[in-house]
Every structure is written in structure tokens, then in C-alpha cells.
Amino acid sequence: MSLYQLERDGEVQEIIRTLRESDNPKVRARAAELLGNFPNHDDRRDVVNALVEAAQGEDSRIAATAVDSLDELGGDAIEQLIADMAGVDFGDDGAEWVRAKAFTQALDADVPELRMAAANGLGQLEQADTVGPLSNRFDDDDPRVRVRAARACGKIGDPRAVDPLESLLRDPKAAVRREAADALGSIGNRQALQALLPLYEDDNERVRQIAVGAFGNFGNDRPVDYLVESLTDESSGVRQTAVYSLIELLSNVPTEQSHEIRDTVVERLSSTDDRSVVVPLVEILEESTQNAQRRNTAWLLGRVTGEQERVRVIESLIDALHEDDQMLRQFAATSLAEIDGDDVERRLLSIVEDEQVDPDVRAQAIFTLGKVGSERSRKTLDRIIDQTENETIRKRAFSAISKLGGRR
């Protein structure tokens, strides 16, 4: 039975057996990783004991994975490893300051796995006064320790970690740069975000993606040029992340700046041959819970959609017409008008002719038909004017039909 199936079935004892007995180091490392996914299992004690044992083994990869899985388990899992490796007695009171002191001392241990565990433990405690000892480990000889010290600083989120983390952005190990970038993005103050800007062209794809993902947190248009450049990145993951960040940025910057940014984004997206960048826009419109993001996305879709994405985009915009947010409905309507075509008219008519649809939604669809409708729409609106008892729909129909040649 595969490890995947064992995980799915919750067979932790079999995964533990694999961790302890397999002759394949990669399989053992994978088993150690999977055990971190069972924080509330009935056999938690056995899981923790197996990982504590693996964290002190000779294989550094398995040990590192076991340390991280203990961190994922939370609670006293890391504490048990520290206690076992360093011979520390935390006592019965479990006071955080006692654990913080023990973890801080363990940061200077000779065994790198113990330093890793200590950094992970301090990240769990999230005490601001441990940022100093953690940042002192940024020059650790073992990159695995540097990775976990940077990750812990990101969890703590104290601005005092920004300067030391910035120094890690030049680390020769991509894994260290990734964690430093991620931590700076988590802290998210102006200095931290500013430090990330040059990373949009880092040699490592994941570093670029993390940095670009953080650019949406800016409250100004400073990263626009970097995000626009990232729309042509060789990595599709970076390109799509840039789209997400641009939408987030549009939601954060002042309104007068957002208009200019939208125009810039439209120009670049319209000129690119890579249509995969449109897919994230559709996903934001369909899945986001933030009204500002969805409004900006609905507006952009009408200006960057090509034939390849047309069907899905039209359906998403039609669905947006049914939303409670009036401004979102308006942006979706204007984008449908921009896309135009027989298919748009047909979908709008299906709304207009359905008397079970909310009158406000029908009125919005009628407004759009005034821009994209044909003779078929004119006849439908002519009939609706005579049949409807809703004054809003009648007024919208009169307005729309006047743009289509008037009543006959």
C-alpha cells in the first residue's frame, strides 16, 4: 500500500513503521513529512515519539523533515524534541518564558538539528524578544538553520527582524532567500516590502514568485513597474502570481492611482501572447470574497479577454450580474458590453426574458443590451415595455430601445 493511501486512511502506525524500517531514505523522509499531517490523531504520542527519534538520526534530510513535522504537529511536539536532545526539564507549569529560555539556549547547540528545532519552537511561541537570538543564527554554517530562523521571524512578525532578514536576500542558498522573502512579506511594513522589490528578477523561480506575491500588499503604486515586468516572466507561476498581486494592489491604492494602474495593466495584458494570465482573473472573479478585488477584476476582463477565454469569461460576468454588490454588477455589465457579440446578447436576453430573475438584475442586463443588442433585442424590449409592471425595468427598456432604433 502506498504512503499516499496510508495517509488518506489515517494508518499512522504503518507510516511510523515505514519511517523506522524502510531501506529507502527518500521513502523514510516522505513518511516523516506525512506524519506531520496528524496533529489530532489518537496515536499522536506514537507519532511524536517516532519523529523525535528520526530527528536525532544520522540522515540529515530525514532529521530535517522530522523537525519540521514536529513543528506542524504543534503543541509540545517540538518541546519534547528539545527536552530529549538537550536534557532540559520544562517542569509541570509549562510557562512560555521557561520554554522560550530553553529554546533560545538550544539555538547555540552543537547539533544543527537541535538548532533547527529551537528555531521552529521559537516561531511557535511568537515572542518578539526572541527576534534578536533568531537573527543571530542568520549566519549559521548550516543553511537549514538559517531557513528555519528566517521562517520563525516571519511567524513572529516583529519589524525589528526586517534589517537582518534583508541581509538574507543575498544568501547563496535559494531556500534561504525564499524563507527570507516569505518572512518579509509576512511582516509587510514599508521597509520589508521595499526590500523585496529587486527580487522580481531573482534567479530562483520560487523566490521571484514569493516576492511578486507580496507586491500586492503595497499601499502605493511603487511596485507596478515590477509587476508589469513580471507579466512576461518565463515562469507561468510567476506571471499568474503577478496578476493576483496587481488586482490586490488595485484594491489597496487610492482611487486616483488605480485608474492609471488599470490602464497600464490593460495595455500590457492586451499585448502579451500568453493568454494564461487571464485565467487568474477569472478565478478571482469567481472565488474571491473581497468586493474591491472582484470589481477590479470584472472591469479588467472586458478589456483583456481574447477568443480563447471568451466562453468562460462571459459566463463568469453573467454570474456576476446576479451578485448583491451593485458596483460589481455595473462593472460586469460594462465588460460584457466591451466583449460584445451574439453570444453576449443571447445570454443577456435569457436574463431579461426570465421573470423569475431579480428585477434589478434584469434592469442591468437591459442596460447592457442597449449597447450590444441587435434587432432581436429591440423586439424583445419593445414587448417588455408593454408587458412589465415594474417601473425600473420599463424605464431601462425605453432607454435601451432608444439606442437600438426606437419603437416601431
Side-chain angles (χ1 to χ4, degrees), residues 159-230:
R160 287 174 292 183
V162 172
D163 281 336
L165 283 168
E166 190 171 353
S167 69
L168 285 185
L169 298 179
R170 298 180 292 276
D171 195 279
K173 294 290 186 179
V176 178
R177 299 199 304 277
R178 287 199 301 269
E179 290 296 341
D182 208 17
L184 287 167
S186 297
I187 294 172
N189 64 11
R190 181 177 298 180
Q191 181 186 355
L193 295 173
Q194 191 74 21
L196 291 174
L197 288 176
L199 293 186
Y200 84 99
E201 54 183 2
D202 190 273
D203 291 338
N204 184 270
E205 173 185 339
R206 183 60 184 146
V207 174
R208 297 197 305 276
Q209 191 167 7
I210 290 172
V212 169
F215 291 169
N217 296 325
F218 272 74
N220 55 54
D221 60 355
R222 182 75 176 85
V224 171
D225 290 341
Y226 301 93
L227 284 170
V228 169
E229 285 298 319
S230 297

Side-chain angles (χ1 to χ4, degrees), residues 243 247 269 277-285 297 300-301 304:
V243 174
I247 294 298
L269 286 177
V277 295
V278 176
V279 175
L281 290 173
V282 180
E283 292 174 347
I284 293 170
L285 180 59
T297 302
L300 282 173
L301 280 171
V304 302

Side-chain angles (χ1 to χ4, degrees), residues 358-385:
D358 184 285
D360 289 339
V361 176
R362 294 178 68 199
Q364 191 70 67
I366 290 171
F367 168 81
T368 312
L369 281 175
K371 298 184 176 183
V372 304
S374 65
E375 178 64 13
R376 177 185 175 186
S377 293
R378 193 198 64 76
K379 290 180 179 179
T380 300
L381 295 176
D382 199 9
R383 185 178 68 252
I384 286 175
I385 289 173

Side-chain angles (χ1 to χ4, degrees), residues 8 25-26 40 53 65 75 104 124 129 163 170 210 224 227 235 271 282 320 325 346 379 387 397-398 406:
R8 187 184 61 184
K26 290 184 179 179
N40 301 312
E53 176 186 313
T65 304
T104 301
Q124 283 187 13
D129 58 0
D163 281 336
R170 298 180 292 276
I210 290 172
V224 171
L227 284 170
S235 162
S271 64
V282 180
D325 182 9
R346 184 172 60 254
K379 290 180 179 179
Q387 295 177 349
F398 266 118

